[in-house]
Amino acid sequence: MTPTPSDFYRKTSTLEIFQYLFIALVILYFGRSLFIPLSFALLISFLLYPVCRWLEQKGMNKSIAIGLSLVSVLFIFIAILYLLFAQIIEFSHEWDSLELKFEETLNQWSAFLTNQFGINEEKQLNYIKNVLTNSGSQVFSLLKNTVYSFSESLFYLLIIPIFSALILFYRQLLVQALYHIFPLDKKEMIHEIILETIQEYYKFIKGMLAVYLIVGILNSIGLAIIGVPYPFLFGFTASILTFIPYIGIMVSSLLPITVAWITFNSIWYPIGVIAVFSLVQVLEAYIIFPYAVGSRLKINTLAILIMVIAGGILWGAAGMILFIPFISILKLLADRTESLKPLSLLLSDGKSKK
């Protein structure tokens, strides 16, 4: 059967779509040092836009309104950092007891290995020395990666407020430029998409708050089942500190692990705390987060989960958060573009009216 021109057109269009998609992924991956802080700044500016507009309508200068809005976000971030360092300080108070407990545990394991397997202390020390020698290069690599991650985070903390302030200050100019990119008859549609994008970002934040609430409850229930003292305090502290990827959950778990070890005089209780936090983190990443956020954005859980994984591959922990608002914006565009109706159907939750 001879292919028709329409078949050739469809094949060419599909090929072009994949080419554009590949180019976009390459740009996103290699340009992540720019796009990650810019995306966070865009998210913050969308959230602060109603506040800035309200202050400006009350007669406040635009620059002062933007500054006050950013200071409010800064106070929230400082509060989270204070909670993080408070956990570290509380953990340092238990260090002497933890050191004694750790030494006691090592002696017990050493005696167990000697009695059960005939491995004397000299062989154990030689084995530990060999492990430390072989892991020296790995420790250096870990330190190098840690220093790089810290410097990258510091750069983000400095540049994101600057980007946010500039986006809010030049918002009329950016919107006008966006209007000129598209045909004149699409101006009303672009205006609707911008307003709905701001609404979608608010829905995303509400979904994130629901995630933190659910994670805090699950952490608290798990710790209470184990018998760790103050389960709700430790559970919700860990939930709030998950805002800081990786570091937050590790620091927040140190204190309940220490308290469990000292209180119950058994290694199994700290292991239980680690198991509870690990299980809740897995549930949060692959079930709670996609469902809670996707239901508010009216995007199906499968699409959310794919975007979470794709964001993690391209941008790490930041991508797992930022790619969700991106897909909601993509759905807004697909809903209003006839050629992208299949994509709109793939992203929808199946509950919208026909």
Side-chain angles (χ1 to χ4, degrees), residues 135-149:
S135 61
S137 58
Q138 297 178 357
V139 171
F140 177 77
S141 177
L142 179 63
L143 289 175
K144 184 174 69 174
N145 293 333
T146 302
V147 171
Y148 173 77
S149 300

Side-chain angles (χ1 to χ4, degrees), residues 18 20 51 55 72 83 140 158 172 194 198 201 210 223 248 303 340:
F18 278 108
Y20 290 141
V51 179
L55 291 174
S72 64
L83 190 62
F140 177 77
L158 293 175
Q172 287 91 354
I194 292 174
I198 296 173
Y201 270 71
L223 294 177
L340 296 177

Side-chain angles (χ1 to χ4, degrees), residues 12-154:
T12 304
S13 299
T14 304
L15 180 61
E16 288 178 351
I17 289 173
F18 278 108
Q19 287 176 343
Y20 290 141
L21 180 61
F22 176 76
I23 293 172
L25 292 176
V26 170
I27 293 173
L28 287 174
Y29 179 76
F30 287 101
R32 59 187 181 275
S33 297
L34 170 64
F35 292 128
I36 289 176
L38 191 59
S39 300
F40 274 117
L42 194 64
L43 173 61
I44 293 173
S45 62
F46 278 166
L47 293 175
L48 295 182
Y49 166 70
V51 179
C52 292
R53 186 178 179 184
W54 181 78
L55 291 174
E56 290 169 15
Q57 288 175 347
K58 296 296 182 181
M60 187 175 291
N61 180 270
K62 179 190 284 189
S63 300
I64 298 176
I66 294 171
L68 286 176
S69 302
L70 288 174
V71 166
S72 64
V73 175
L74 181 63
F75 276 134
I76 295 174
F77 187 74
I78 289 175
I80 294 175
L81 286 180
Y82 173 78
L83 190 62
L84 181 69
F85 283 109
Q87 287 278 297
I88 296 174
I89 293 172
E90 287 293 330
F91 176 74
S92 65
H93 293 161
E94 304 290 343
W95 180 251
D96 292 336
S97 301
L98 182 64
E99 189 176 9
L100 293 174
K101 186 67 64 176
F102 186 69
E103 185 178 351
E104 180 184 341
T105 303
L106 284 179
N107 291 332
Q108 291 175 355
W109 275 102
S110 177
F112 174 78
L113 292 174
T114 302
N115 296 330
Q116 297 295 325
F117 301 100
I119 304 175
N120 56 35
E121 292 185 5
E122 185 179 355
K123 290 182 179 180
Q124 294 175 26
L125 290 174
N126 290 332
Y127 176 77
I128 293 173
K129 288 179 181 178
N130 291 331
V131 170
L132 292 175
T133 302
N134 295 329
S135 61
S137 58
Q138 297 178 357
V139 171
F140 177 77
S141 177
L142 179 63
L143 289 175
K144 184 174 69 174
N145 293 333
T146 302
V147 171
Y148 173 77
S149 300
F150 178 77
S151 60
E152 188 179 42
S153 300
L154 184 61

Side-chain angles (χ1 to χ4, degrees), residues 282-320:
V282 172
L283 292 175
E284 183 266 334
Y286 297 106
I287 297 178
I288 301 171
F289 180 80
Y291 180 77
V293 176
S295 62
R296 293 180 180 273
L297 299 179
K298 295 182 179 176
I299 300 174
N300 66 75
T301 306
L302 176 61
I304 293 287
L305 185 57
I306 291 173
M307 291 303 291
V308 167
I309 296 173
I313 294 172
L314 289 174
W315 287 0
M320 298 176 75

